[in-house]
Amino acid sequence: MDISPHKQRIATSAVLATLPALALIFQGWVLFAVLALFSVLTLWEFYSMFRPVQSMTAFKSLGAACTFLLMGAYTTGDARYPGVILALAFWASSMVFLLRYNKDVTASYRHAAVFLAGLFYIPLNFHFFLYFDRLEILLVLGAAVLSDTAAFYAGSLFGKRKIWPRISPKKSWAGSIGGMTACTVGTMAWGLFLGLPEVAWWKWLLLGMALNVAAQMGDFFESALKRSLDIKDSGTILPGHGGLLDRVDSLLLVIPCYGLISMFQPFFP
């Protein structure tokens, strides 16, 4: 029986939702394991977007090791730990380049640069979840999901005028406004019912707007990246969605955006 792409998207989203649900229920090592596994798979997918894939094998293995080390930063309680890991990753990838250049003077530093970009782009952002509590994790996930889902349906129903056709031909102003509205309303509702009582409603409003802008820009960035590499999807692992990175591109910018804002304005008890 043939299943429409739309139904595939819904089924895939439902299955994916079980992973964060389990992580939130059990937290601890379950949350660590889910984040680490998801980060590694998404990171490998990111590396595979840059061809030839064979030349990224060493960096894929090194990236997996760095991912687990970054996730382990939470257990140390030392704020310097992620920076040390990233510094060592820089030097490790640079040494790989050095050894290759010694054998072949035409060797490029491009793969080392892609390796480092992948670490900053995916596991570094995901590891911040370990510092959020349940309410914050649900807020960040909800903001990204509401932004994407509302934008998709609003754009499908009313989208005519495109925002940035050179980057993403299907994204419309109607979809952008729909995503902004859903994210802002959802953030305000979540915060006013469960957040700190002293946080004014307009702060939740501004937070929702900021998270939606982050979600949209994260989506646009990945679209531009795929176009520059002349590929349609980041992968094929998710029916109806493409790759893992296609599913979390907006989330990857929402996470640090919320993390930065919450440093100056706490929202939850």
Side-chain angles (χ1 to χ4, degrees), residues 26-226:
F26 296 102
Q27 287 202 315
W29 285 106
V30 176
L31 179 59
F32 177 91
V34 169
L35 282 175
L37 177 61
F38 198 82
S39 295
V40 167
L41 293 176
T42 309
L43 185 64
W44 283 358
E45 188 179 88
F46 173 80
Y47 290 153
S48 296
M49 292 167 62
F50 295 83
R51 294 174 174 80
V53 178
Q54 294 81 2
S55 60
M56 293 298 298
T57 302
F59 289 123
K60 280 186 175 183
S61 301
L62 188 58
C66 290
T67 296
F68 281 97
L69 290 173
L70 277 172
M71 293 300 170
Y74 176 76
T75 63
T76 68
D78 191 334
R80 298 172 299 177
Y81 191 78
V84 170
I85 296 303
L86 291 172
L88 290 175
F90 166 78
W91 284 111
S93 60
S94 296
M95 291 304 102
V96 172
F97 162 73
L98 175 62
L99 295 175
R100 287 183 173 177
Y101 189 81
N102 181 55
K103 295 180 180 180
D104 181 6
V105 293
T106 64
S108 172
Y109 192 72
R110 178 172 180 262
H111 290 130
V114 170
F115 164 75
L116 292 170
L119 290 181
F120 279 93
Y121 185 26
I122 298 167
L124 179 63
N125 283 314
F126 273 134
H127 105 284
F128 290 122
F129 268 139
L130 295 169
Y131 296 88
F132 296 163
D133 62 27
R134 283 189 176 92
L135 294 178
E136 291 179 309
I137 293 175
L138 286 172
L139 172 70
V140 170
L141 290 173
V145 170
L146 285 174
S147 296
D148 290 346
T149 304
F152 174 78
Y153 285 107
S156 298
L157 293 172
F158 310 109
K160 292 182 179 180
R161 189 177 179 184
K162 307 304 179 183
I163 300 178
W164 214 340
R166 186 173 184 178
I167 302 298
S168 186
K170 294 183 179 181
K171 298 282 191 307
S172 66
W173 282 105
S176 177
I177 294 171
M180 173 68 76
T181 302
C183 181
T184 303
V185 171
T187 299
M188 287 182 63
W190 187 255
L192 292 175
F193 278 103
L194 299 171
L196 289 168
E198 61 267 25
V199 179
W201 66 269
W202 59 268
K203 292 184 179 180
W204 291 107
L205 172 67
L206 292 178
L207 176 64
M209 294 175 66
L211 296 183
N212 178 257
V213 170
Q216 293 194 47
M217 295 310 296
D219 197 351
F220 276 125
F221 167 73
E222 201 235 354
S223 294
L225 182 62
K226 289 188 294 185

